[in-house]
Amino acid sequence: MFSHLSHLECSRTGERHDADVVQGTSPVGAPLLARYDLERVAATVDKAVLATREASLWKYHEVLPVRDPRFVTTLGEGWTPIVGLPAYGRAVGLPRLAMKDEGLIPTGTFKARGAAVGVSRAAELGVRGVGMPTNGNAGSAWATYAARAGLPSLIVMPEGAPEITRTECAAAGAELYLVDGLIGDAGAIVHEAIGRRPGWQEVSTLKEPYRLEGKKTMGYELAEQLGWRLPDVILYPTGGGVGLIGIHKALLEMREMGWITGPLPRWVAVQATGCAPIVRAYGAGARESEPFPDAQTVAFGITVPKALGDFLVLDAIRETDGCAVEVSDEDLLAEQRRLAASDGAFICPEGAACLAAARDLRESGWIREDEHVLVINTGTGIKYPDTITVDAPLLPVGGRLP
Ligand SMILES: *Cc1c(COP(=O)(O)O)cnc(C)c1O
């Protein structure tokens, strides 16, 4: 069977819901989690066979929601490399530091994973169009994959979102609007509009169940790539938290199927000082976050003042003896530049926040020198050209260097 999807489950109440009709959140407004017949998967899929499959996220199709392969909408996404960061790692006392580089994926960020799986499943369920608020990257990914699936898309983003993402939406033929506000303001506009469009689906973060499934493939990949031995610590730049929740979900599924054993990696949720609701909630011992006032950071992808799945992030952190830390914009921009110069990796500011956090946690002793530390770099630096100031003197033709 291509997919072993069995049902959806409310992340708050555990109540079961039908997975074969279009669904949003559960009746109590909580994210729905896709559940699979993992016993059947474990009995029928030898994890060794995965190595013989194509190098894309669809190799994990048994634990993805698309039932009919004809609906798979793909641009070859997934199976991004895990690369060591030896020079930077040595300099900060983390010789076993590595990153999973999601910059090398269609649209340049890991948002492509959620879009590929979400759009595919929406098409399979007969959705006629998709609409979402976005901080930019999710919008460009969904517009791109919707175009590939032949579906119209409605994207609303803050005026301040990275300009390149507007260009991508426009190129993909999306219906695009900018709003003079934050992602929550964009969300209210989309919600109202979708209510007036029969057959359309609102695909905001965690308001439909399948984006999470796409993002969870990072967890399957990293386990397989590391020979089914997990890192000690994973750092994740946390906005809505979908990637963290997704990877954690994948780890639990793999443990249930016997594909991995032993303790799970300690989660570190990394946020920017200008928008750190999860860090505050973690510090306060709370299970839910408070809306963060006047949210602002250059790491635009993690500007989420109140995430619908905050409690799932906080649960994962606590289950694994992890932590949540914040990093200033100044600091993360400095580390972005430092890494590009030391290891040739030009990563996004969100990913750079994780490096600054790893460095701080090594300094405080929370991470030990011998530990295997994995940073999820969620996107390429090329999507954020303005984060680097360039000092390049202009020479006259025939000029001489000093
Ligand atoms: C969206 C985004 C994030 C945050 O992702 P979540 O999984 O929703 O927390 C991090 N980095 C980049 C580049 C993003 O686009």
Side-chain angles (χ1 to χ4, degrees):
M1 219 191 292
F2 194 69
S3 169
H4 285 279
L5 177 67
S6 61
H7 63 280
L8 298 172
E9 185 183 291
C10 174
S11 56
R12 278 198 194 273
T13 66
E15 193 181 32
R16 286 173 75 106
H17 296 274
D18 187 355
D20 287 298
V21 293
V22 176
Q23 299 272 17
T25 52
S26 76
V28 297
L32 288 169
L33 304 176
R35 295 300 183 201
Y36 301 81
D37 184 350
L38 294 178
E39 225 168 282
R40 281 286 306 283
V41 181
T44 54
V45 182
D46 179 351
K47 71 183 185 205
V49 88
L50 295 168
T52 67
R53 295 186 179 174
E54 63 160 345
S56 94
L57 64 79
W58 297 100
K59 63 159 48 188
Y60 307 105
H61 58 79
E62 285 93 347
V63 287
L64 290 174
V66 179
R67 296 197 190 277
D68 181 342
R70 282 175 307 172
F71 288 100
V72 167
T73 305
T74 182
L75 291 162
E77 56 290 333
W79 205 248
T80 54
I82 292 180
V83 292
L85 301 172
Y88 184 92
R90 263 196 312 278
V92 301
L94 292 170
R96 299 177 68 204
L97 177 68
M99 72 167 168
K100 184 158 174 64
D101 191 5
E102 294 291 303
L104 298 170
I105 207 168
T107 74
T109 78
F110 79 123
K111 291 292 196 304
R113 292 180 187 267
V117 174
V119 165
S120 298
R121 184 65 176 152
E124 182 168 52
L125 292 175
V127 166
R128 304 217 326 246
V130 291
M132 65 172 359
T134 174
N135 276 333
N137 289 330
S140 74
W142 280 76
T144 299
Y145 282 86
R148 186 141 180 109
L151 286 177
S153 60
L154 163 67
I155 311 289
V156 184
M157 66 171 75
E159 208 183 351
E163 240 179 273
I164 182 79
T165 61
R166 290 184 204 174
T167 310
E168 293 175 274
C169 291
E175 184 186 345
L176 174 67
Y177 298 92
L178 307 178
V179 60
D180 179 14
L182 291 181
I183 187 164
D185 306 303
I189 292 168
V190 171
H191 181 73
E192 194 280 328
I194 294 290
R196 289 184 284 116
R197 297 187 183 195
W200 280 58
Q201 188 180 16
E202 188 182 346
V203 294
S204 315
T205 305
L206 290 174
K207 288 195 178 166
E208 63 76 48
Y210 301 119
R211 182 203 295 216
L212 179 65
E213 295 306 289
K215 291 190 173 181
K216 99 180 167 186
T217 57
M218 289 187 285
Y220 279 92
E221 284 179 22
L222 72 88
E224 188 184 350
Q225 287 171 308
L226 296 172
W228 309 102
R229 278 187 306 272
L230 301 177
D232 298 300
V233 176
I234 306 181
L235 295 100
Y236 185 79
T238 307
V242 187
L244 189 158
I245 298 165
I247 296 173
H248 191 66
K249 182 173 186 283
L251 298 177
L252 296 177
E253 288 174 359
M254 285 187 283
R255 194 157 73 174
E256 197 173 327
M257 293 188 288
W259 290 7
I260 55 171
T261 53
L264 297 182
R266 309 198 305 279
W267 272 116
V268 180
V270 180
Q271 299 198 300
T273 307
C275 184
I278 305 265
V279 178
R280 293 293 141 79
Y282 170 75
R287 196 185 177 215
E288 266 164 56
S289 61
E290 297 296 327
F292 199 88
D294 304 321
Q296 203 179 5
T297 163
V298 289
F300 220 82
I302 53 175
T303 318
V304 181
K306 164 73 184 164
L308 192 64
D310 53 1
F311 64 103
L312 298 171
V313 173
L314 288 155
D315 287 354
I317 293 171
R318 294 195 176 108
E319 271 167 40
T320 61
D321 295 322
C323 67
V325 296
E326 64 187 63
V327 174
S328 73
D329 277 7
E330 192 186 4
D331 199 10
L332 67 89
L333 287 173
E335 297 310 286
Q336 182 195 30
R337 190 155 193 153
R338 182 177 173 196
L339 184 76
S342 69
D343 292 78
F346 183 24
I347 67 175
C348 64
E350 294 84 352
C354 293
L355 289 177
R359 180 207 60 202
D360 288 351
L361 291 171
R362 174 71 199 99
E363 251 168 47
S364 73
W366 194 89
I367 301 179
R368 295 191 316 270
E369 186 175 14
D370 62 338
E371 289 192 298
H372 182 192
V373 178
L374 185 68
V375 161
I376 308 293
N377 174 47
T378 41
T380 175
I382 295 172
K383 286 195 85 167
Y384 302 77
D386 301 338
T387 54
I388 301 287
T389 48
V390 179
D391 178 21
L394 179 66
L395 302 174
V397 174
R400 275 172 60 106
L401 302 190

